Amino acid sequence: MAVTVEQARRVGYTCLKALLRFAFMVANNLVAIPSYVLYLIMLQPLRVLDSESFWYIEGVLFKWLLAMVASWGWWAGYTVVEWGDDVKAVSEDEAMVLVNHQATGDVCTLMMCLQDKGTVVRQMMWLMDHIFKYTNFGIVSLIHGDFFIRQGRAHRDQQLVLLKEHLEKYYRSRNRKWIVLFPEGGFLRKRRETSQAFAKKNNLPFLKHVTLPRLGATQVILKTLVAPQENGTPAGGDAVIKESKSKGLQWVIDTTIAYPKGEPIDIQTWILGYRQPTVTHVHYRIFPVKDVPAEPEALTHWLYQRFIEKEDLLTHFYETGAFPPLQGQTKAISREMTLSNLWLVGIQSLAFLSGGMWYCIFQYFYHCLF
């Protein structure tokens, strides 16, 4: 089939746009990440004198870095519509966020949709695959105190011990509020067949849109972070969240990410922007921790039920293009998540100005010394 002039122009424009976006992303990383590291090196005396203020500043810088990643998708037309419970109501409380995992773009989507949730982004901890440690963003996550988990049966027990130690050492000392994890332990396309075989063998439901979750990390987080007595109320519909003075993990936020036609966005698409503008849909359900069982068998059943519900939610979404209403509602209510372009431009400008400043400082000292 012959290629028309219009098709050739469209392909050329897409390639040029992708090349320019890639160049911008590289430049963005070259100025923003070193600036983040250098600012924190300069603030080490504050860390000794007033660690709370140090980690507050670090959290602000961390949020700005995540906003830069969000801007790459936002300016490509990749937006988010939110459904279900309003998680802003618990943004100042400690919570564990359980997310289904389809592609690398899931993380970028969360970086975007949590930007307008108060202090959440700067006070959150991520659990991610250890491979992420060796990416350009790895040094940022290391400093911030995220946990890199190594997958595989051979490492499982040791990793859970290390996770417990990590939480005890860093979670409260750095005033973390939310902890985000992907209990499936890998991407849907990689784990689906194994999960379905396990389900068949153990007489469990056959799932297509999610996989059966793994218990380990969830159990460690609950055991380590939940206080002896918890306060909370169901957060469905128009329920009012009671003010809580108790410390410890108070909520579990079950988060379901859905892409149109089940076609997830990966990190390459997020950076290069060659896919048409896409709306990703994110559904939240909030559960009080006091309603989550502690015993391993009961917790396993509870966690399986959350992912069976995710399967139902995603099936409904792929059939209708919308999530079903919450219990007690007659119509599902969605909220379009928005970011301020002015704010994003301001953050990007600050990053490039910081990069220029550090470059000038190094040039000055280089000429002084040599």
Side-chain angles (χ1 to χ4, degrees):
M1 182 182 294
V3 178
T4 66
V5 174
E6 182 60 30
Q7 289 174 326
R9 285 177 178 172
R10 191 179 298 115
V11 170
Y13 170 75
T14 301
C15 292
L16 178 61
K17 183 178 73 170
L19 182 62
L20 291 174
R21 286 178 57 87
F22 180 76
F24 176 77
M25 183 275 297
V26 171
N28 211 176
N29 278 278
L30 288 176
V31 296
I33 294 177
S35 293
Y36 166 88
V37 174
L38 290 169
Y39 277 129
L40 295 182
I41 289 174
M42 295 295 292
L43 289 171
Q44 287 303 304
L46 178 64
R47 182 177 181 178
V48 175
L49 298 172
D50 186 354
S51 64
E52 185 175 345
S53 295
F54 173 85
W55 289 112
Y56 175 87
I57 295 170
E58 184 279 332
V60 172
L61 295 175
F62 184 79
K63 179 177 180 177
W64 290 352
L65 283 177
L66 267 58
M68 293 176 200
V69 176
S71 72
W72 303 342
W74 182 259
W75 288 333
Y78 305 146
T79 58
V80 172
V81 168
E82 298 176 311
W83 303 74
D85 293 328
D86 184 4
V87 295
K88 288 182 181 179
V90 298
S91 63
E92 297 301 318
D93 298 333
E94 291 188 21
M96 176 173 63
V97 184
L98 307 176
V99 192
N100 61 312
H101 208 8
Q102 301 180 61
T104 48
D106 297 342
V107 175
C108 302
T109 298
L110 290 173
M111 288 180 178
M112 175 186 287
C113 64
L114 296 180
Q115 283 292 323
D116 67 344
K117 307 300 185 293
T119 62
V120 165
V121 175
R122 66 177 177 82
Q123 292 182 285
M124 72 196 312
M125 178 182 286
W126 296 77
L127 264 66
M128 58 191 75
D129 192 278
H130 78 288
I131 292 296
F132 194 78
K133 185 190 298 186
Y134 307 106
T135 67
N136 59 316
F137 215 77
I139 183 64
V140 174
S141 292
L142 277 171
I143 294 172
H144 184 69
D146 296 327
F147 184 76
F148 301 96
I149 193 163
R150 186 181 293 271
Q151 303 292 343
R153 187 175 299 176
H155 308 286
R156 192 169 299 161
D157 292 340
Q158 181 193 28
Q159 290 299 296
L160 295 178
V161 171
L162 292 174
L163 173 59
K164 183 177 186 298
E165 293 174 352
H166 186 88
L167 293 172
E168 292 173 340
K169 185 175 182 180
Y170 297 118
Y171 192 82
R172 297 267 157 65
S173 66
R174 298 186 182 183
N175 195 27
R176 298 294 175 245
K177 293 292 187 183
W178 285 18
I179 182 165
V180 180
L181 69 154
F182 301 91
E184 291 164 293
F187 297 139
L188 173 64
R189 68 178 187 277
K190 292 183 177 181
R191 290 210 61 242
R192 179 160 39 201
E193 187 176 338
T194 303
S195 175
Q196 290 173 346
F198 178 84
K200 184 177 180 180
K201 182 178 178 181
N202 292 275
N203 197 28
L204 293 167
F206 184 85
L207 307 176
K208 296 191 298 180
H209 306 307
V210 294
T211 63
L212 290 169
R214 293 169 176 172
L215 178 66
T218 303
Q219 186 177 31
V220 168
I221 291 168
L222 290 171
K223 280 187 175 181
T224 308
L225 299 183
V226 172
Q229 289 185 337
E230 291 300 330
N231 173 67
T233 56
D238 297 323
V240 178
I241 307 300
K242 289 185 179 179
E243 199 171 356
S244 172
K245 294 182 179 179
S246 65
K247 294 183 178 180
L249 205 68
Q250 297 173 58
W251 311 100
V252 175
I253 303 174
D254 186 21
T255 304
T256 305
I257 299 176
Y259 298 95
K261 299 180 181 179
E263 298 173 356
I265 296 176
D266 55 27
I267 187 65
Q268 301 96 312
T269 306
W270 193 270
I271 292 170
L272 301 178
Y274 49 76
R275 181 167 166 174
Q276 291 296 312
T278 302
V279 179
T280 301
H281 297 256
V282 181
H283 184 278
Y284 306 106
R285 281 195 69 197
I286 304 175
F287 297 88
V289 158
K290 67 181 181 64
D291 293 344
V292 180
E295 293 302 316
E297 186 175 345
L299 178 58
T300 299
H301 177 73
W302 185 90
L303 196 58
Y304 280 0
Q305 284 302 119
R306 301 290 73 76
F307 277 77
I308 292 169
E309 288 174 7
K310 286 180 184 291
E311 176 78 9
D312 294 338
L313 284 170
L314 290 168
T315 299
H316 188 281
F317 177 83
Y318 294 139
E319 290 175 353
T320 66
F323 283 114
L326 293 170
Q327 187 174 2
Q329 292 181 345
T330 57
K331 182 180 179 181
I333 301 173
S334 63
R335 305 171 295 276
E336 186 175 350
M337 187 266 166
T338 59
L339 290 175
S340 167
N341 285 313
L342 182 61
W343 180 66
L344 292 176
V345 169
I347 297 297
Q348 293 286 7
S349 300
L350 180 61
F352 283 97
L353 287 171
S354 295
M357 179 192 74
W358 290 115
Y359 176 78
C360 291
I361 291 173
F362 278 108
Q363 284 287 96
Y364 173 79
F365 280 107
Y366 177 83
H367 288 298
C368 287
L369 293 173
F370 302 102

